[in-house]
Amino acid sequence: MSVLIVGSTALDSIKTATKENPKLLGGSASHAAVAASFFAPVNMVGAVGHDFPKKYIQLYRKHGINLDGLQSLDGTTFHWSGEYAADMNHRRTLSTELGVFEGFTPHLPDSYRDSEFVLLANIAPSIQMHVLEQVKNPKFVVADTMDLWLNIALPDLLRLLKRVDAFVLNDSEARQLTDERNMVVALKKIHRLGPKYVIIKKGEHGSILSGPDGLFLAPAVPIQKVVDPTGAGDSFVGGLLGYLATQNGQIEKNLRKAVVVGSVVASFCCEGFGLSRTTKTTRVMIDDRCKLVERLTKF
Ligand code: AMP
Protein backbone atom coordinates (compact mmCIF):
# COMPACT_ATOMS: atom_id res chain seq x y z
CA MET A 1 0.00 0.00 0.00
CA SER A 2 1.56 3.32 -1.01
CA VAL A 3 1.69 6.48 1.09
CA LEU A 4 0.88 9.98 -0.13
CA ILE A 5 3.08 12.64 1.49
CA VAL A 6 2.76 16.40 1.14
CA GLY A 7 5.02 18.84 2.96
CA SER A 8 7.97 21.12 2.43
CA THR A 9 10.70 20.18 -0.04
CA ALA A 10 13.47 22.47 1.10
CA LEU A 11 17.05 23.54 1.36
CA ASP A 12 18.17 23.69 5.00
CA SER A 13 21.09 25.68 6.38
CA ILE A 14 21.91 24.21 9.78
CA LYS A 15 24.23 25.55 12.46
CA THR A 16 25.35 23.57 15.48
CA ALA A 17 27.95 24.45 18.12
CA THR A 18 30.63 22.72 16.03
CA LYS A 19 29.56 22.91 12.40
CA GLU A 20 27.68 24.93 9.84
CA ASN A 21 26.14 23.22 6.81
CA PRO A 22 24.47 25.36 4.16
CA LYS A 23 21.74 24.26 1.77
CA LEU A 24 21.38 20.60 2.60
CA LEU A 25 18.40 18.67 1.30
CA GLY A 26 15.65 19.16 3.87
CA GLY A 27 11.97 19.83 4.32
CA SER A 28 9.30 17.90 6.14
CA ALA A 29 8.25 15.97 3.00
CA SER A 30 11.85 15.02 2.15
CA HIS A 31 12.57 13.61 5.62
CA ALA A 32 9.18 11.91 5.88
CA ALA A 33 9.33 10.45 2.36
CA VAL A 34 12.78 8.90 2.83
CA ALA A 35 11.68 7.50 6.21
CA ALA A 36 8.46 6.02 4.78
CA SER A 37 10.32 4.57 1.78
CA PHE A 38 11.94 1.90 3.97
CA PHE A 39 8.49 0.31 4.22
CA ALA A 40 6.13 1.45 1.47
CA PRO A 41 6.14 3.09 -1.97
CA VAL A 42 5.85 6.86 -1.56
CA ASN A 43 3.99 9.39 -3.72
CA MET A 44 5.38 12.82 -2.87
CA VAL A 45 3.73 16.23 -3.36
CA GLY A 46 5.80 19.39 -3.14
CA ALA A 47 7.43 22.19 -5.09
CA VAL A 48 11.01 23.18 -5.84
CA GLY A 49 12.56 26.18 -7.56
CA HIS A 50 15.24 26.60 -10.23
CA ASP A 51 17.98 26.43 -7.58
CA PHE A 52 17.11 22.90 -6.41
CA PRO A 53 20.15 20.70 -7.11
CA LYS A 54 19.66 17.76 -9.49
CA LYS A 55 21.56 15.49 -7.09
CA TYR A 56 18.71 15.88 -4.59
CA ILE A 57 16.19 14.74 -7.22
CA GLN A 58 18.43 11.73 -7.79
CA LEU A 59 18.46 11.02 -4.08
CA TYR A 60 14.63 10.97 -3.98
CA ARG A 61 14.71 8.59 -6.95
CA LYS A 62 17.27 6.34 -5.26
CA HIS A 63 14.66 5.81 -2.54
CA GLY A 64 12.03 4.95 -5.14
CA ILE A 65 9.99 8.07 -4.31
CA ASN A 66 7.40 8.87 -6.98
CA LEU A 67 7.92 12.49 -8.04
CA ASP A 68 4.90 12.93 -10.35
CA GLY A 69 3.48 15.33 -7.74
CA LEU A 70 6.69 17.36 -7.31
CA GLN A 71 6.35 20.58 -9.26
CA SER A 72 9.31 22.52 -10.57
CA LEU A 73 8.31 26.17 -10.42
CA ASP A 74 9.74 29.50 -11.42
CA GLY A 75 11.27 30.94 -8.24
CA THR A 76 13.47 29.83 -5.39
CA THR A 77 13.20 26.68 -3.30
CA PHE A 78 11.81 26.88 0.27
CA HIS A 79 14.82 27.73 2.46
CA TRP A 80 14.91 27.21 6.22
CA SER A 81 17.82 28.01 8.47
CA GLY A 82 18.18 27.14 12.09
CA GLU A 83 20.69 27.11 14.90
CA TYR A 84 21.01 24.58 17.74
CA ALA A 85 22.12 25.33 21.28
CA ALA A 86 25.07 23.28 22.56
CA ASP A 87 22.66 20.85 24.30
CA MET A 88 21.06 20.06 20.87
CA ASN A 89 17.63 20.18 22.49
CA HIS A 90 16.86 23.80 21.79
CA ARG A 91 16.82 25.32 18.37
CA ARG A 92 16.12 28.73 16.98
CA THR A 93 14.74 29.35 13.51
CA LEU A 94 16.96 32.00 11.91
CA SER A 95 14.89 32.36 8.74
CA THR A 96 12.06 30.76 6.78
CA GLU A 97 11.81 31.76 3.13
CA LEU A 98 8.77 30.11 1.61
CA GLY A 99 9.91 30.75 -1.99
CA VAL A 100 7.82 28.67 -4.42
CA PHE A 101 5.54 27.56 -1.56
CA GLU A 102 4.14 31.10 -1.38
CA GLY A 103 0.67 30.73 -2.92
CA PHE A 104 1.38 27.10 -3.92
CA THR A 105 -1.81 25.13 -4.65
CA PRO A 106 -0.82 21.57 -5.44
CA HIS A 107 -2.71 19.67 -8.11
CA LEU A 108 -2.68 15.93 -7.38
CA PRO A 109 -1.82 13.62 -10.26
CA ASP A 110 -4.72 11.21 -10.95
CA SER A 111 -2.57 8.28 -9.84
CA TYR A 112 -2.32 9.80 -6.31
CA ARG A 113 -6.05 10.33 -5.74
CA ASP A 114 -6.82 6.79 -4.64
CA SER A 115 -4.22 6.89 -1.85
CA GLU A 116 -5.44 5.31 1.39
CA PHE A 117 -2.62 6.43 3.69
CA VAL A 118 -2.05 10.17 3.68
CA LEU A 119 0.61 12.14 5.53
CA LEU A 120 0.03 15.89 5.72
CA ALA A 121 3.56 16.68 6.85
CA ASN A 122 4.44 20.08 8.24
CA ILE A 123 3.49 22.88 5.81
CA ALA A 124 0.79 25.58 5.72
CA PRO A 125 -2.53 24.00 6.83
CA SER A 126 -4.24 25.49 3.75
CA ILE A 127 -1.91 23.43 1.52
CA GLN A 128 -2.50 20.32 3.67
CA MET A 129 -6.28 20.79 3.31
CA HIS A 130 -6.04 21.41 -0.42
CA VAL A 131 -4.28 18.07 -0.87
CA LEU A 132 -6.65 16.19 1.43
CA GLU A 133 -9.67 17.48 -0.49
CA GLN A 134 -8.32 15.87 -3.68
CA VAL A 135 -7.94 12.38 -2.18
CA LYS A 136 -11.04 10.28 -2.94
CA ASN A 137 -11.44 7.93 0.00
CA PRO A 138 -8.56 8.05 2.48
CA LYS A 139 -8.36 5.28 5.09
CA PHE A 140 -5.95 6.94 7.52
CA VAL A 141 -4.86 10.58 7.50
CA VAL A 142 -2.09 11.92 9.74
CA ALA A 143 -1.25 15.62 10.11
CA ASP A 144 1.85 17.26 11.55
CA THR A 145 2.43 20.96 12.17
CA MET A 146 4.74 23.46 13.87
CA ASP A 147 4.61 26.59 16.02
CA LEU A 148 4.72 28.93 13.01
CA TRP A 149 1.34 27.64 11.77
CA LEU A 150 -0.15 27.81 15.27
CA ASN A 151 0.91 31.46 15.28
CA ILE A 152 -0.17 32.55 11.81
CA ALA A 153 -2.75 30.02 10.54
CA LEU A 154 -4.61 28.66 13.58
CA PRO A 155 -8.16 28.86 12.07
CA ASP A 156 -6.96 26.84 9.02
CA LEU A 157 -5.31 24.29 11.30
CA LEU A 158 -8.44 23.90 13.45
CA ARG A 159 -10.52 23.27 10.30
CA LEU A 160 -8.02 20.62 9.21
CA LEU A 161 -8.03 18.84 12.58
CA LYS A 162 -11.72 18.01 12.13
CA ARG A 163 -10.77 15.97 9.05
CA VAL A 164 -7.75 13.94 10.21
CA ASP A 165 -7.49 10.62 12.03
CA ALA A 166 -4.23 11.37 13.81
CA PHE A 167 -2.42 14.55 14.80
CA VAL A 168 1.27 14.62 15.67
CA LEU A 169 2.86 17.56 17.48
CA ASN A 170 5.60 18.20 20.00
CA ASP A 171 5.06 18.99 23.66
CA SER A 172 5.68 22.73 23.37
CA GLU A 173 3.21 22.93 20.46
CA ALA A 174 0.65 20.97 22.50
CA ARG A 175 1.08 23.48 25.32
CA GLN A 176 0.72 26.41 22.93
CA LEU A 177 -2.39 24.94 21.29
CA THR A 178 -4.20 24.08 24.52
CA ASP A 179 -2.77 26.59 26.97
CA GLU A 180 -2.24 23.61 29.29
CA ARG A 181 0.99 22.41 30.89
CA ASN A 182 -0.20 18.94 31.90
CA MET A 183 0.11 16.62 28.89
CA VAL A 184 -2.72 14.30 29.96
CA VAL A 185 -5.12 17.24 30.10
CA ALA A 186 -3.65 18.70 26.90
CA LEU A 187 -4.27 15.39 25.10
CA LYS A 188 -7.94 15.43 26.12
CA LYS A 189 -8.31 18.97 24.80
CA ILE A 190 -6.66 18.05 21.49
CA HIS A 191 -8.95 15.03 21.00
CA ARG A 192 -11.89 17.40 21.37
CA LEU A 193 -10.59 19.30 18.32
CA GLY A 194 -11.21 16.21 16.15
CA PRO A 195 -8.43 13.62 15.91
CA LYS A 196 -9.11 10.11 17.21
CA TYR A 197 -5.39 9.60 17.79
CA VAL A 198 -2.96 12.20 19.12
CA ILE A 199 0.78 11.68 19.35
CA ILE A 200 2.92 14.06 21.39
CA LYS A 201 6.65 14.01 20.67
CA LYS A 202 8.94 14.82 23.56
CA GLY A 203 12.32 14.77 21.80
CA GLU A 204 14.91 12.70 23.66
CA HIS A 205 12.18 11.74 26.16
CA GLY A 206 10.14 9.76 23.64
CA SER A 207 6.49 10.13 22.73
CA ILE A 208 2.95 9.57 23.99
CA LEU A 209 0.25 8.01 21.83
CA SER A 210 -3.32 8.64 22.92
CA GLY A 211 -6.34 6.88 21.40
CA PRO A 212 -9.50 4.93 22.22
CA ASP A 213 -7.36 2.23 23.90
CA GLY A 214 -5.77 4.77 26.24
CA LEU A 215 -2.15 5.85 26.40
CA PHE A 216 1.01 4.22 25.07
CA LEU A 217 4.47 5.50 26.00
CA ALA A 218 7.38 4.97 23.62
CA PRO A 219 10.96 5.86 24.51
CA ALA A 220 13.34 7.65 22.19
CA VAL A 221 16.18 5.32 21.24
CA PRO A 222 19.19 6.23 23.39
CA ILE A 223 21.98 7.27 21.02
CA GLN A 224 25.52 8.31 21.89
CA LYS A 225 25.87 11.34 19.68
CA VAL A 226 23.19 13.65 18.36
CA VAL A 227 24.76 15.32 15.33
CA ASP A 228 21.68 17.13 13.98
CA PRO A 229 18.07 16.51 15.07
CA THR A 230 16.60 18.45 12.12
CA GLY A 231 13.91 16.34 10.52
CA ALA A 232 13.64 13.88 13.41
CA GLY A 233 9.95 14.68 13.84
CA ASP A 234 9.29 14.26 10.12
CA SER A 235 11.25 10.99 10.04
CA PHE A 236 9.22 9.81 13.03
CA VAL A 237 5.88 10.37 11.35
CA GLY A 238 7.10 9.18 7.93
CA GLY A 239 8.43 5.93 9.38
CA LEU A 240 5.27 5.50 11.43
CA LEU A 241 2.89 5.86 8.47
CA GLY A 242 5.09 3.92 6.04
CA TYR A 243 5.13 1.00 8.44
CA LEU A 244 1.38 1.24 9.13
CA ALA A 245 0.54 1.19 5.42
CA THR A 246 2.18 -2.21 5.03
CA GLN A 247 0.51 -3.97 7.97
CA ASN A 248 -2.60 -6.11 7.82
CA GLY A 249 -5.41 -5.75 10.31
CA GLN A 250 -6.82 -2.84 12.21
CA ILE A 251 -4.92 0.42 12.58
CA GLU A 252 -5.41 0.35 16.36
CA LYS A 253 -3.64 -3.01 16.55
CA ASN A 254 -0.57 -1.82 14.65
CA LEU A 255 -0.24 1.74 15.90
CA ARG A 256 1.91 1.05 18.98
CA LYS A 257 4.54 -0.79 16.97
CA ALA A 258 4.32 1.98 14.33
CA VAL A 259 5.19 4.58 16.99
CA VAL A 260 8.27 2.55 17.98
CA VAL A 261 9.30 2.19 14.33
CA GLY A 262 8.93 5.97 13.92
CA SER A 263 11.16 6.58 16.95
CA VAL A 264 13.77 4.22 15.53
CA VAL A 265 13.89 5.94 12.13
CA ALA A 266 14.07 9.32 13.91
CA SER A 267 17.07 8.09 15.93
CA PHE A 268 19.01 7.41 12.72
CA CYS A 269 18.09 10.86 11.41
CA CYS A 270 19.68 12.49 14.50
CA GLU A 271 23.00 10.74 13.91
CA GLY A 272 23.95 12.77 10.83
CA PHE A 273 23.45 16.20 9.28
CA GLY A 274 20.29 16.60 7.23
CA LEU A 275 19.41 13.33 5.53
CA SER A 276 23.00 12.04 5.40
CA ARG A 277 22.56 9.27 7.96
CA THR A 278 18.96 8.34 7.13
CA THR A 279 19.85 7.73 3.50
CA LYS A 280 22.56 5.26 4.58
CA THR A 281 20.18 3.35 6.83
CA THR A 282 18.73 -0.03 5.84
CA ARG A 283 15.62 -1.95 6.80
CA VAL A 284 17.78 -4.49 8.64
CA MET A 285 19.32 -1.71 10.77
CA ILE A 286 15.83 -0.42 11.57
CA ASP A 287 14.59 -3.88 12.55
CA ASP A 288 17.63 -4.39 14.81
CA ARG A 289 16.97 -1.13 16.66
CA CYS A 290 13.30 -2.06 17.08
CA LYS A 291 14.44 -5.27 18.79
CA LEU A 292 16.74 -3.18 21.00
CA VAL A 293 13.78 -1.01 22.08
CA GLU A 294 11.82 -4.17 22.84
CA ARG A 295 14.63 -5.42 25.09
CA LEU A 296 15.03 -2.04 26.77
CA THR A 297 11.37 -1.69 27.66
CA LYS A 298 10.44 -5.24 28.66
CA PHE A 299 9.79 -5.93 32.35
P1 AMP B 1 11.68 18.89 12.38
O1 AMP B 1 13.10 18.94 12.84
O2 AMP B 1 11.11 17.51 12.33
O3 AMP B 1 10.81 19.87 13.07
O4 AMP B 1 11.68 19.34 10.84
C1 AMP B 1 12.62 20.22 10.31
C2 AMP B 1 12.33 20.39 8.82
O5 AMP B 1 11.14 21.18 8.67
C3 AMP B 1 13.43 21.11 8.09
O6 AMP B 1 13.95 20.24 7.10
C4 AMP B 1 12.78 22.34 7.47
O7 AMP B 1 13.08 22.52 6.13
C5 AMP B 1 11.30 22.10 7.64
N1 AMP B 1 10.59 23.32 8.03
C6 AMP B 1 11.02 24.30 8.86
N2 AMP B 1 10.06 25.25 8.98
C7 AMP B 1 9.02 24.85 8.22
C8 AMP B 1 7.72 25.38 7.94
N3 AMP B 1 7.32 26.56 8.44
N4 AMP B 1 6.90 24.69 7.13
C9 AMP B 1 7.29 23.51 6.62
N5 AMP B 1 8.49 22.96 6.83
C10 AMP B 1 9.35 23.61 7.62
Side-chain angles (χ1 to χ4, degrees):
M1 197 64 76
S2 59
V3 177
L4 169 65
I5 298 180
V6 62
S8 54
T9 36
L11 298 174
D12 283 354
S13 297
I14 301 165
K15 240 189 209 176
T16 65
T18 53
K19 231 178 163 190
E20 203 169 329
N21 266 315
K23 303 212 166 164
L24 299 171
L25 175 60
S28 57
S30 307
H31 282 282
V34 172
S37 74
F38 292 113
F39 308 95
V42 175
N43 296 325
M44 190 164 82
V45 180
V48 295
H50 55 70
D51 53 348
F52 194 71
K54 293 226 168 14
K55 64 178 181 192
Y56 293 162
I57 296 283
Q58 281 154 12
L59 198 139
Y60 289 144
R61 293 223 160 94
K62 195 184 128 217
H63 284 268
I65 297 166
N66 182 352
L67 301 178
D68 291 352
L70 181 70
Q71 292 183 42
S72 201
L73 299 175
D74 201 17
T76 52
T77 301
F78 185 114
H79 181 223
W80 174 80
S81 79
E83 182 176 21
Y84 286 88
D87 68 4
M88 297 306 270
N89 284 324
H90 297 96
R91 95 173 164 207
R92 197 161 62 96
T93 290
L94 301 174
S95 69
T96 305
E97 294 151 30
L98 293 180
V100 291
F101 273 91
E102 192 106 45
F104 173 56
T105 45
H107 180 76
L108 282 202
D110 284 345
S111 58
Y112 284 24
R113 291 177 190 242
D114 291 320
S115 300
E116 295 194 346
F117 290 82
V118 179
L119 172 52
L120 308 172
N122 173 31
I123 193 66
S126 56
I127 295 179
Q128 294 173 311
M129 182 69 107
H130 192 72
V131 166
L132 183 57
E133 279 171 342
Q134 296 173 69
V135 182
K136 285 186 195 149
N137 194 14
K139 182 173 171 191
F140 196 70
V141 181
V142 183
D144 192 359
T145 195
M146 75 180 296
D147 54 355
L148 176 70
W149 308 118
L150 294 175
N151 291 334
I152 69 169
L154 186 59
D156 288 347
L157 180 66
L158 293 176
R159 259 192 299 281
L160 183 77
L161 290 184
K162 294 194 181 6
R163 305 264 312 259
V164 306
D165 300 287
F167 183 38
V168 180
L169 70 175
N170 68 32
D171 45 0
S172 62
E173 291 154 2
R175 269 185 212 111
Q176 182 178 343
L177 178 61
T178 61
D179 207 13
E180 175 59 57
R181 288 204 69 75
N182 182 294
M183 281 301 122
V184 180
V185 181
L187 278 164
K188 289 203 165 114
K189 288 191 175 176
I190 300 170
H191 280 299
R192 269 185 237 130
L193 299 174
K196 181 173 177 186
Y197 302 99
V198 180
I199 300 168
I200 296 188
K201 298 169 290 179
K202 290 148 57 73
E204 63 178 339
H205 303 296
S207 57
I208 310 175
L209 160 69
S210 171
D213 275 359
L215 301 182
F216 172 67
L217 308 180
V221 181
I223 52 176
Q224 285 200 19
K225 190 156 169 48
V226 175
V227 176
D228 168 25
T230 307
D234 313 310
S235 306
F236 171 86
V237 72
L240 182 156
L241 197 63
Y243 171 81
L244 214 50
T246 59
Q247 299 306 299
N248 294 321
Q250 290 182 335
I251 298 282
E252 184 83 37
K253 185 174 83 55
N254 298 316
L255 205 45
R256 289 180 171 211
K257 170 81 187 275
V259 169
V260 171
V261 170
S263 309
V264 165
V265 183
S267 73
F268 285 109
C269 173
C270 294
E271 290 179 326
F273 264 99
L275 274 151
S276 62
R277 173 73 166 140
T278 319
T279 51
K280 291 191 192 78
T281 303
T282 63
R283 181 65 193 266
V284 173
M285 290 157 74
I286 293 169
D287 290 346
D288 282 350
R289 266 195 198 177
C290 284
K291 286 184 198 128
L292 171 71
V293 174
E294 206 172 340
R295 285 199 300 279
L296 290 175
T297 54
K298 208 169 189 169
F299 69 94

